């Protein structure tokens, strides 16, 4: 894997679970409770609809492979859970979204906007000395972008956490 999530998991214990669930009230809480009951911290959790009545959750958990396997088995027993896959050790595509407010002096705006654009981001709002930028990229690229913003005066940050899916092979999903 080339994503930061994968690199981190190889260095430590971060595991990535991909779940497809029925889109019902309380499912998020029930899934999070199963992880909590095992004593693990959810590092990030993203959820979004993928089809009528279905949502995909990407959950990153600080735990070892065997421990996450037990969590996955418990989560899979929930009625609303359609599919659970630990995708940590598979080739994945992972993206994270950030929106950041940065304080940039008027005379440095053009250079800053060029730098943001080169990184694949864009300026989405400008008010006074504050510029709001967004970037959707692989987690390691997001980390690099955030380091790039620090010298300018990072005033506020909103971050999605990674969303991930298995990489396709030969034009079809590998799972």
């Amino acid at each position: 894997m080339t994503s930061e999530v994968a690199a981190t998991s190889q260095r430590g214990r971060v595991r990535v679970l991909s779940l497809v669930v029925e889109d019902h009230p309380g499912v998020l809480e029930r899934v999070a409770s199963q992880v909590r009951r095992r004593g693990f911290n959810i590092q990030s959790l993203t959820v979004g609809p993928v089809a009528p009545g279905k949502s995909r959750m990407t959950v990153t958990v600080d735990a070892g492979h065997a421990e996450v396997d037990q969590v996955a088995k418990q989560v899979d027993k929930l009625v609303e859970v359609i599919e659970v896959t630990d995708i940590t050790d598979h080739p994945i595509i992972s993206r994270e979204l950030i929106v950041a407010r940065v304080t940039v002096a008027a005379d440095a705006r053009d250079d800053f906007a060029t730098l943001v654009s080169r990184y694949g981001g864009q300026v989405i709002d400008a008010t006074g000395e504050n510029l709001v930028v967004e970037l959707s990229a692989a987690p390691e690229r997001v980390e690099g972008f955030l380091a790039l913003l620090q010298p300018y005066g990072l005033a506020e940050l909103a971050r999605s956490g990674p969303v991930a899916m298995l990489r396709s092979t030969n034009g079809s999903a590998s799972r």
Side-chain angles (χ1 to χ4, degrees):
M1 274 180 274
T2 59
S3 73
E4 179 181 282
V5 173
T8 302
S9 70
Q10 291 168 357
R11 289 190 310 265
R13 297 169 20 106
V14 175
R15 306 296 298 180
V16 182
L17 295 175
S18 177
L19 290 76
V20 178
V21 298
E22 293 177 7
D23 194 7
H24 294 158
V27 174
L28 173 64
E29 188 274 328
R30 284 188 281 285
V31 168
S33 289
Q34 288 294 338
V35 176
R36 179 190 50 79
R37 282 186 193 131
R38 292 286 180 181
F40 303 119
N41 185 40
I42 296 175
Q43 288 192 341
S44 73
L45 190 149
T46 57
V47 184
V50 293
K54 295 181 181 178
S55 292
R56 177 178 302 276
M57 293 183 182
T58 303
V59 184
T60 56
V61 180
D62 182 9
H65 184 286
E67 298 159 326
V68 168
D69 188 47
Q70 289 300 311
V71 169
K73 287 177 183 175
Q74 292 300 313
V75 167
D76 199 28
K77 290 180 183 178
L78 296 172
V79 173
E80 301 92 350
V81 174
I82 299 166
E83 178 183 359
V84 178
T85 309
D86 182 350
I87 62 174
T88 310
D89 296 327
H90 300 280
I92 63 172
I93 297 170
S94 179
R95 294 292 180 264
E96 186 172 349
L97 170 69
I98 64 161
V99 178
R101 184 179 324 279
V102 183
T103 305
V104 180
D107 61 341
R109 277 190 172 191
D110 289 340
D111 291 339
F112 179 78
T114 300
L115 191 62
V116 167
S117 179
R118 271 195 222 134
Y119 230 86
Q122 61 181 338
V123 176
I124 58 173
D125 187 45
T127 307
E129 288 192 342
N130 289 315
L131 297 177
V132 177
V133 298
E134 72 174 354
L135 175 72
S136 172
E140 70 273 5
R141 188 154 179 89
V142 167
E143 289 297 327
F145 185 68
L146 288 173
L148 186 79
L149 298 181
Q150 290 297 331
Y152 288 94
L154 187 57
E156 188 176 357
L157 176 66
R159 191 171 182 173
S160 70
V163 293
M165 67 172 39
L166 291 170
R167 184 175 294 279
S168 295
T169 59
N170 298 329
S172 63
S174 60
R175 280 197 155 240

